Amino acid sequence: MVARLAFGTMTFGTEWGWGAEKETARAMVDAYVEAGGNFFDTADAYTGGTSETWLGEFIAERGLRDKAVISTKFSMNLEEGNPNAGGNGRKNIIRAVEGSLKRLSTDYIDLYILHAWDRLTPPEEVMRTLDDLVRAGKIRHVGLSDVPAWYASRAQSVAEHRGYEPVSALQLEYSLAERNIEHEFVLFGTRHGAGIMVWSPLASGLLSGKYRSDTVNGAGGRLETMRGSTNPGFQKFNDRNWEIVAELEKVASQLGRSMAQVALNWAATQPGIASVIIGATKLDQLKDNLGALDFDIPQELRARLDAVSRPITPFPYSFFGSEIQGGLTGGQAVGDKPAGYLPDLLMQGAFAGVS
């Protein structure tokens, strides 16, 4: 059971040329916990291990280990010349989990996530190794990040067939500027029990209000620092995205909310999204983000955001819309289940524990 807003700690440390100093990072953890948050995301590669180390320290300082849900990731290689110090093979997974446990100062990880597809390791090896770690008590749950949909589906099928711990989370990029997971991953997640954790819901800061097409130079921040990077996650400056930023600014103004809050709210309330990872380098940024779910986006304003950000529908997904599907149903309206067939489950009420 995790908060709808997860706290991403990739910004802990300044080794990458941007990020938060230690006291600022500690203050942000305090603010997140005080706001009711319990879900922390990190990775062994973030800031060379600083992120995991600081997060483990802050959680221990507050005595939060039983309350905190810690997600961390493996795959990235930080040892030049050694191909076995990265990737998704059994050798690296076991090496990586031991390192993360040590840096986090804990004996178990709540959610252990494959960080990126290595194009080599079969899902059978990955899922068997992760299941072994669950059975050994070193991890509790299994997730996948940045993999093809067919790979995620194969991994889940292997787990189901062999009785391994299944994939319970998908960590994927999703925002008004990047909506391609809607083609397959949302359906996979909702039908096969994998909640989607959104990374980069602000498109690396593009949707925060910091950048405008005419003032981008000298704006600073992550996108400016990483402008020359070949990492596709930082390639955000283009005409389509500037149109999204302009419309987001108008909608945010009408709602009396910050652009960041509206962008986060939109992502968090989309189908299939379980939790949205928020990250910040300053305390005031985090506090603003924490208010992202304190309001609703009216349908007419959501429709404007949907329209300006709608992704191109490539083949074969172009065959799955009403234009073709009507030819499969004989022109009749056909649905999965009647409305209200499976109502949402919401448990709430005053605590009635034993005193």
Side-chain angles (χ1 to χ4, degrees), residues 2 38-40 65-72 101 104 106 108-112 134 138-142 168:
V2 299
N38 73 334
F39 196 14
F40 300 89
R65 188 61 195 95
D66 287 341
K67 294 182 179 180
V69 178
I70 298 176
S71 162
T72 193
L101 288 169
L104 288 164
T106 184
Y108 70 96
I109 293 163
D110 296 286
L111 175 60
Y112 202 42
V134 171
K138 295 188 177 184
I139 67 176
R140 299 291 190 258
H141 298 279
V142 170
S168 59

Side-chain angles (χ1 to χ4, degrees), residues 36-105:
N38 73 334
F39 196 14
F40 300 89
D41 180 74
T42 184
D44 58 358
Y46 289 168
T47 52
T50 297
S51 174
E52 284 187 327
T53 301
W54 288 4
L55 178 60
E57 183 179 330
F58 300 154
I59 287 175
E61 287 174 352
R62 294 187 65 113
L64 289 175
R65 188 61 195 95
D66 287 341
K67 294 182 179 180
V69 178
I70 298 176
S71 162
T72 193
K73 300 179 282 291
F74 65 90
S75 293
M76 300 303 176
N77 195 323
L78 300 181
E79 188 178 331
E80 185 176 0
N82 180 7
N84 290 311
N88 303 323
R90 180 176 290 108
K91 181 177 177 66
N92 183 57
I93 294 176
I94 294 174
R95 178 206 63 81
V97 75
E98 296 297 344
S100 289
L101 288 169
K102 182 177 180 180
R103 284 185 294 273
L104 288 164
S105 300

Side-chain angles (χ1 to χ4, degrees), residues 169-172 174 181 185-186 189 194-198 271-276:
L170 297 168
Q171 189 173 123
L172 301 163
Y174 187 56
I181 68 168
F185 284 100
V186 170
I196 295 176
M197 298 172 63
V198 171
I273 304 305
S275 189
V276 171

Side-chain angles (χ1 to χ4, degrees), residues 21 27 34 52 151 163-164 209 285 323 349:
E21 299 288 352
E34 288 164 9
E52 284 187 327
Y151 189 93
Y164 297 162
Q285 292 174 338
E323 302 83 1

Side-chain angles (χ1 to χ4, degrees), residues 210-271:
K210 182 171 188 173
Y211 302 96
R212 300 292 191 281
S213 60
D214 57 344
T215 60
V216 64
N217 290 325
R222 191 182 316 175
L223 288 179
E224 183 65 23
T225 301
M226 303 295 287
R227 178 187 284 270
S229 169
T230 57
N231 186 325
F234 297 117
Q235 310 301 315
K236 303 299 185 188
F237 297 148
N238 57 59
D239 291 342
R240 172 183 178 273
N241 284 349
W242 292 132
E243 291 180 10
I244 294 172
V245 169
E247 190 63 33
L248 174 62
E249 184 175 19
K250 294 175 185 176
V251 169
S253 178
Q254 286 188 242
L255 290 172
R257 293 283 177 170
S258 70
M259 291 171 63
Q261 286 180 335
V262 175
L264 289 170
N265 184 299
W266 179 90
T269 53
Q270 287 288 99

Side-chain angles (χ1 to χ4, degrees), residues 18-31:
W18 45 268
E21 299 288 352
K22 190 169 187 178
E23 288 311 307
T24 300
R26 178 183 279 111
M28 290 193 292
V29 168
D30 289 344

